Amino acid sequence: MLQGCLISVLMPYFYILEKKGMEEIFILIAEDDADDRFLLQAAFEENGFKDRLQFVENGVEVMDYLNNLIENKEENTQLPRFILLDLNMPKKDGREVLKELKQHSELKKIPVVIFSTTNNEHEMRRCYELGANSYITKPHNFESLIKTVAALRSYWMHANDIPASAHNN
C-alpha cells in the first residue's frame, strides 16, 4: 500500500526528469582561441555529452548570433541553456558582452558562465557585479578540463532549476 502511494506521488517528478533529459541541450560558447575551442569540444565528447555546442569567436559574434535568434524566432526557437563566455576576446570583450546581455530584456534570462584564464579577485568581483551567474578559471590541463566540463554541465543541466521560459521562446 505504502509503495503504491509513494510511486503515485513520485511519478510526476519522474516525468519531469525524463522530459528534461529529452530536450536538446544548446550551449553557446564564446571563445576566440581555436585550440581552446577544440579542447572544449573534445572535453564534451570525452564525457559522452551530445549537446549542441555553438561556437562564436568574439563578442560581436555573440551578440549578432543571439540577436538573430530573437529576430528570426519561430515557435521552436531555443535560446542557449547557458553561455560559456571568455573575457579576453577581440572586437568586443566578454565584459562588454556580459553588460549588454544583462541589459537586454530577453537575453538577460540566459545564465552566463565566465570561463577565463584571468584569475584575480578584482576581475571576478567585476564580472559578478555585471551579472555573471558563475566564474570559472580555465583549467591548465585536459584532464582537469574534462572534469570541469562534467561538473559545469551537471550543475546547469540538473542541479540548477531554470524556468522553461528562461531558455525557450
Side-chain angles (χ1 to χ4, degrees):
M1 177 82 168
L2 182 59
Q3 185 179 10
C5 290
L6 187 58
I7 289 173
S8 65
V9 167
L10 292 177
M11 196 55 105
Y13 296 106
F14 291 136
Y15 173 74
I16 290 167
L17 288 173
E18 182 180 320
K19 189 173 180 181
K20 191 174 183 178
M22 289 172 29
E23 76 182 42
E24 180 186 47
I25 298 166
F26 168 31
I27 302 166
L28 180 62
I29 302 175
E31 174 58 64
D32 63 313
D33 186 274
D35 291 335
D36 284 351
R37 288 193 305 271
F38 174 79
L39 291 171
L40 278 165
Q41 177 80 45
F44 273 86
E45 290 171 2
E46 189 72 25
N47 278 299
F49 302 140
K50 308 251 186 272
D51 305 331
R52 180 176 143 219
L53 304 178
Q54 177 66 46
F55 289 92
V56 291
E57 298 181 19
N58 62 62
V60 171
E61 287 183 16
V62 172
M63 296 312 299
D64 286 348
Y65 182 83
L66 291 170
N67 283 321
N68 284 336
L69 274 181
I70 290 170
E71 288 170 15
N72 302 319
K73 74 174 154 183
E74 298 169 8
E75 203 171 297
N76 296 331
T77 298
Q78 183 182 20
L79 291 175
R81 181 65 185 228
F82 64 90
I83 298 170
L84 204 54
L85 181 64
D86 186 22
L87 287 181
N88 304 309
M89 296 184 296
K91 296 186 182 180
K92 183 183 286 193
D93 74 20
R95 295 158 208 82
E96 294 172 283
V97 171
L98 180 60
K99 185 176 181 180
E100 199 171 327
L101 285 170
K102 295 306 177 177
Q103 291 175 345
H104 192 285
S105 62
E106 290 183 64
L107 300 177
K108 69 182 177 184
K109 300 179 259 182
I110 305 170
V112 178
V113 178
I114 302 301
F115 196 65
S116 179
T117 55
T118 304
N119 183 16
N120 85 35
E121 188 73 23
H122 174 73
E123 194 60 56
M124 289 179 198
R125 190 175 305 114
R126 183 174 171 206
C127 288
Y128 280 115
E129 287 169 358
L130 288 171
N133 298 91
S134 188
Y135 192 110
I136 299 173
T137 303
K138 290 180 182 177
H140 297 292
N141 61 57
F142 186 62
E143 198 153 311
S144 294
L145 179 61
I146 291 170
K147 291 176 185 174
T148 299
V149 163
L152 171 72
R153 186 185 179 279
S154 176
Y155 176 76
W156 286 106
M157 298 315 302
H158 302 294
N160 185 59
D161 291 323
I162 301 172
S165 63
H167 58 91
N168 290 327
N169 279 350

